[in-house]
Amino acid sequence: KETLEVEEFRGGEVVFVPWQCVESFANSTLYDRHFMLEPASGTVQFGPAVRQPDGTMRQYGRIPESGRLIRMRAYRYGGGARGNVPANTLQTLTTSVAYLARVNNLVRASGGRDQESMEELKMRAQRELQSQKRVVTAADFEQALRSFSRNVARVKCLSPQQENGAQVKPGSVELLVVPAVREALLAGELSRLHLPATFIQEAIAYLNRYRLLTTSIHVREPQYVGVKVCAEIAVDDFSLPEVVQSRVAQCLQHFLSPIPLLDEDSGLLTLFDDGRAGWEFGRGLFQAEISSLIQRVPGVRYVLSVHISTRPVDPERERLRLEEIDPPEPLEALEGPMLWLPENALVCSLPHEVSVVDLAEITHRARRDGHD
């Protein structure tokens, strides 16, 4: 954690004394070693001097003496969401270092998030006003957990009757949490859907402040079902096949996702009537939906075939898996027109296969087969 230290003289020697980070200087006195830190910009602020109604000046928080050294004992840094660069992209040394010929990032950078926007702040304030620091109903639990951390993308509170169709212990609340891991899902890293044990413990501790005494809380991951689409398409004249293939893959990845993946300024969002805020819990998947979606993608002339395969996805197992020793479960072809999902399940995208077929070649083969 960030800790600010200020140089002071004690006993004839120079020492660095830690100061306390506070949210405001409202309760700080002239002798309190307090400071404020703006995490987004890294700005450090010491207490101000405020003129009182009687004309006197009051100092809120101590001010370091002139000429003293100030240092941060530890700090974090990053570039926000744009710092989540893919692997093998950082290959330039900004400063020459002895005995280093080249550099490279072997793994993808992750975890960077932009500062909370004004719209996000308004939504968070609205949720906090609605909950009023008490959680009783399912909506209260969902709003409280979303307010707990920006790393929470979606929350679903299950009633006792919804847990596998059987009655569970009265007063027990199940919360299914989908983390905000958009960049990881875009890169195909399903393991990032795993909820760390520390997050679960902190979330339960936070909710315990506002729950009823007779309520027990459980936080876990939803049941994920991976979906892979194999499609053959024909593209419009003068359309670039590679571009159309990329559009189709992006739409499928966004459509079959527990959280939104497309950017707000992406023209492909107009293909989704509801904006696709993430797959609805327990909503089944019809094969006809996939065909209809692909047909609406700009540049697609015909959808020649669509095949859907599925497999269960365990984020923790995905994180620990070694492909050579523990390969993923085999894919199962979808039998029938619909994939049924239980109430606690969501879909997530597996790598899709979109191939472009030459329409003229298909027509030629069909005519040849007809003559034969």
Side-chain angles (χ1 to χ4, degrees):
K1 184 178 180 180
E2 292 83 358
T3 302
L4 182 139
E5 296 180 337
V6 179
E7 182 186 55
E8 296 184 11
F9 284 96
R10 291 190 177 183
E13 62 177 345
V14 177
V15 296
F16 281 91
V17 179
W19 287 40
Q20 180 183 358
C21 183
V22 296
E23 295 183 357
S24 71
F25 295 111
N27 299 320
S28 301
T29 68
L30 173 64
Y31 306 101
D32 292 326
R33 293 179 173 86
H34 292 171
F35 72 97
M36 291 180 60
L37 174 65
E38 173 55 47
S41 61
T43 302
V44 174
Q45 180 181 354
F46 295 102
V50 180
R51 186 176 297 279
Q52 304 301 305
D54 59 359
T56 61
M57 299 294 293
R58 178 181 176 183
Q59 179 66 41
Y60 289 86
R62 188 169 179 170
I63 298 295
E65 297 179 5
S66 177
R68 299 293 184 230
L69 294 179
I70 300 174
R71 71 183 185 185
M72 295 299 293
R73 184 173 176 182
Y75 63 95
R76 292 168 288 177
Y77 62 94
R82 66 179 182 178
N84 299 328
V85 296
N88 303 317
T89 55
L90 302 178
Q91 300 177 347
T92 303
L93 279 170
T94 56
T95 304
S96 61
V97 180
Y99 307 109
L100 287 184
R102 60 181 182 273
V103 294
N104 191 18
N105 61 315
L106 301 180
V107 296
R108 186 181 65 86
S110 62
R113 299 201 64 186
D114 294 330
Q115 185 179 7
E116 185 179 31
S117 65
M118 184 60 66
E119 292 301 321
E120 291 176 327
L121 177 60
K122 291 179 181 178
M123 294 299 297
R124 179 164 60 86
Q126 182 179 0
R127 290 195 299 265
E128 292 183 357
L129 289 175
Q130 290 175 350
S131 63
Q132 297 184 0
K133 299 303 180 181
R134 57 94 178 97
V135 287
V136 179
T137 66
D140 292 339
F141 280 98
E142 294 173 358
Q143 292 175 0
L145 196 50
R146 281 196 295 266
S147 300
F148 164 67
S149 173
R150 292 185 66 208
N151 291 327
V152 175
R154 297 180 61 193
V155 184
K156 175 68 173 179
C157 182
L158 295 181
S159 63
Q161 294 79 9
Q162 289 177 298
E163 182 62 21
N164 296 327
Q167 183 73 26
V168 298
K169 181 181 178 181
S172 178
V173 175
E174 289 278 355
L175 292 169
L176 308 179
V177 178
V178 181
V181 288
R182 175 180 174 272
E183 289 79 13
L185 293 183
L186 286 173
E189 297 182 6
L190 300 181
S191 61
R192 296 296 301 276
L193 291 170
H194 173 66
L195 295 179
T198 54
F199 171 84
I200 295 178
Q201 295 171 0
E202 293 173 358
I204 293 177
Y206 174 80
L207 294 174
N208 282 338
R209 307 176 193 172
Y210 314 113
R211 66 171 175 84
L212 300 178
L213 294 178
T214 56
T215 303
S216 60
I217 301 173
H218 305 276
V219 177
R220 60 182 177 88
E221 304 159 358
Q223 175 183 339
Y224 292 107
V225 178
V227 178
K228 177 178 181 178
V229 176
C230 296
E232 290 184 337
I233 63 173
V235 302
D236 290 334
D237 296 336
F238 311 112
S239 294
L240 296 176
E242 297 81 6
V243 175
V244 179
Q245 279 179 303
S246 177
R247 290 175 187 162
V248 172
Q250 287 181 358
C251 288
L252 290 174
Q253 193 177 31
H254 176 75
F255 183 67
L256 301 170
S257 172
I259 58 177
L261 298 182
L262 290 179
D263 295 327
E264 292 296 332
D265 56 353
S266 174
L268 297 177
L269 275 179
T270 58
L271 303 177
F272 306 93
D273 297 333
D274 57 356
R276 292 303 306 157
W279 196 265
E280 183 180 350
F281 281 89
R283 175 179 177 269
L285 169 65
F286 285 89
Q287 185 168 346
E289 293 181 277
I290 301 298
S291 300
S292 176
L293 172 64
I294 298 176
Q295 186 65 70
R296 298 197 304 270
V297 175
V300 175
R301 187 171 185 180
Y302 299 115
V303 180
L304 304 177
S305 66
V306 171
H307 301 283
I308 299 177
S309 303
T310 65
R311 71 170 174 89
V313 172
D314 183 350
E316 184 175 13
R317 186 179 176 188
E318 297 283 337
R319 181 173 60 91
L320 302 175
R321 169 179 291 136
L322 295 176
E323 297 293 342
E324 298 80 3
I325 303 175
D326 185 19
E329 293 82 353
L331 293 171
E332 295 184 4
L334 178 62
E335 300 291 342
M338 177 186 178
L339 171 64
W340 178 85
L341 294 178
E343 195 69 26
N344 63 343
L346 292 170
V347 299
C348 56
S349 282
L350 300 176
H352 304 295
E353 295 182 4
V354 181
S355 57
V356 176
V357 180
D358 189 350
L359 190 59
E361 180 66 21
I362 294 179
T363 304
H364 175 72
R365 291 180 182 178
R367 290 175 179 175
R368 184 184 60 189
D369 295 341
H371 288 302
D372 293 342

